[in-house]
Short mmCIF file of all heavy atoms in Angstrom, two decimals:
data_model
loop_
_atom_site.label_atom_id
_atom_site.label_comp_id
_atom_site.label_asym_id
_atom_site.label_seq_id
_atom_site.Cartn_x
_atom_site.Cartn_y
_atom_site.Cartn_z
N ARG A 18 2.46 14.68 1.50
CA ARG A 18 2.24 16.07 1.10
C ARG A 18 2.89 16.98 2.16
O ARG A 18 2.64 16.82 3.37
CB ARG A 18 0.74 16.30 1.03
CG ARG A 18 0.36 17.74 1.05
CD ARG A 18 -1.13 17.90 0.90
NE ARG A 18 -1.50 19.17 1.50
CZ ARG A 18 -2.72 19.69 1.53
NH1 ARG A 18 -3.71 19.01 0.98
NH2 ARG A 18 -2.93 20.83 2.09
N ASP A 20 3.21 20.81 3.36
CA ASP A 20 2.71 22.17 3.28
C ASP A 20 3.75 23.12 3.85
O ASP A 20 4.28 22.87 4.92
CB ASP A 20 1.40 22.34 4.06
CG ASP A 20 0.22 21.69 3.35
OD1 ASP A 20 0.43 20.96 2.37
OD2 ASP A 20 -0.92 21.92 3.82
N VAL A 21 4.00 24.21 3.10
CA VAL A 21 4.98 25.20 3.54
C VAL A 21 4.23 26.53 3.69
O VAL A 21 3.78 27.12 2.71
CB VAL A 21 6.13 25.33 2.52
CG1 VAL A 21 7.26 26.15 3.11
CG2 VAL A 21 6.63 23.95 2.09
N ASP A 22 4.07 26.96 4.93
CA ASP A 22 3.17 28.07 5.25
C ASP A 22 3.89 29.40 5.47
O ASP A 22 3.27 30.46 5.35
CB ASP A 22 2.36 27.79 6.52
CG ASP A 22 1.44 26.60 6.37
OD1 ASP A 22 1.32 26.06 5.26
OD2 ASP A 22 0.84 26.23 7.40
N THR A 50 3.86 28.46 -0.17
CA THR A 50 3.25 29.77 -0.02
C THR A 50 4.21 30.78 -0.61
O THR A 50 5.39 30.78 -0.27
CB THR A 50 3.00 30.07 1.48
OG1 THR A 50 2.13 29.06 1.98
CG2 THR A 50 2.39 31.45 1.67
N MET A 56 1.53 35.26 8.67
CA MET A 56 1.03 34.30 9.64
C MET A 56 1.00 34.87 11.05
O MET A 56 0.32 34.38 11.92
CB MET A 56 1.84 33.02 9.58
CG MET A 56 1.61 32.22 8.28
SD MET A 56 -0.11 31.69 8.05
CE MET A 56 -0.11 30.18 8.99
N HIS A 118 0.44 26.42 -2.88
CA HIS A 118 -0.32 26.37 -1.62
C HIS A 118 -1.14 27.66 -1.46
O HIS A 118 -2.34 27.61 -1.29
CB HIS A 118 0.64 26.15 -0.45
CG HIS A 118 -0.02 25.76 0.83
ND1 HIS A 118 -1.16 24.99 0.88
CD2 HIS A 118 0.30 26.00 2.13
CE1 HIS A 118 -1.52 24.79 2.13
NE2 HIS A 118 -0.65 25.40 2.91
N HIS A 122 -1.14 33.10 2.78
CA HIS A 122 -1.76 31.94 3.48
C HIS A 122 -2.79 32.38 4.50
O HIS A 122 -3.88 31.86 4.59
CB HIS A 122 -0.66 31.13 4.15
CG HIS A 122 -1.07 29.76 4.63
ND1 HIS A 122 -1.93 29.56 5.69
CD2 HIS A 122 -0.74 28.51 4.19
CE1 HIS A 122 -2.10 28.26 5.87
NE2 HIS A 122 -1.38 27.60 4.98
N GLN A 126 -6.83 31.73 4.50
CA GLN A 126 -7.38 30.86 5.55
C GLN A 126 -8.54 31.55 6.31
O GLN A 126 -9.51 30.90 6.65
CB GLN A 126 -6.24 30.54 6.55
CG GLN A 126 -6.37 29.21 7.19
CD GLN A 126 -5.12 28.83 7.98
OE1 GLN A 126 -4.08 29.41 7.83
NE2 GLN A 126 -5.31 27.89 8.88
N SER A 161 -5.27 24.03 -1.30
CA SER A 161 -5.78 25.24 -0.63
C SER A 161 -5.26 25.38 0.80
O SER A 161 -5.25 24.39 1.52
CB SER A 161 -7.29 25.26 -0.58
OG SER A 161 -7.82 25.37 -1.87
N ALA A 162 -4.86 26.60 1.18
CA ALA A 162 -4.39 26.84 2.54
C ALA A 162 -5.48 26.46 3.57
O ALA A 162 -6.64 26.85 3.39
CB ALA A 162 -4.01 28.31 2.70
N GLY A 163 -5.09 25.72 4.57
CA GLY A 163 -5.98 25.38 5.65
C GLY A 163 -7.17 24.53 5.24
O GLY A 163 -8.21 24.50 5.94
N HIS A 244 4.01 19.53 7.90
CA HIS A 244 4.31 20.96 7.74
C HIS A 244 5.82 21.18 7.83
O HIS A 244 6.46 20.67 8.77
CB HIS A 244 3.56 21.80 8.76
CG HIS A 244 2.11 21.93 8.43
ND1 HIS A 244 1.16 21.01 8.84
CD2 HIS A 244 1.45 22.88 7.69
CE1 HIS A 244 -0.03 21.39 8.36
NE2 HIS A 244 0.12 22.50 7.67
ZN1 ZN B 12 -0.83 25.60 5.03
#
Side-chain angles (χ1 to χ4, degrees):
R18 162 177 156 178
D20 286 10
V21 191
D22 296 354
T50 299
M56 290 300 275
H118 194 32
H122 193 290
Q126 212 172 342
S161 292
H244 285 88

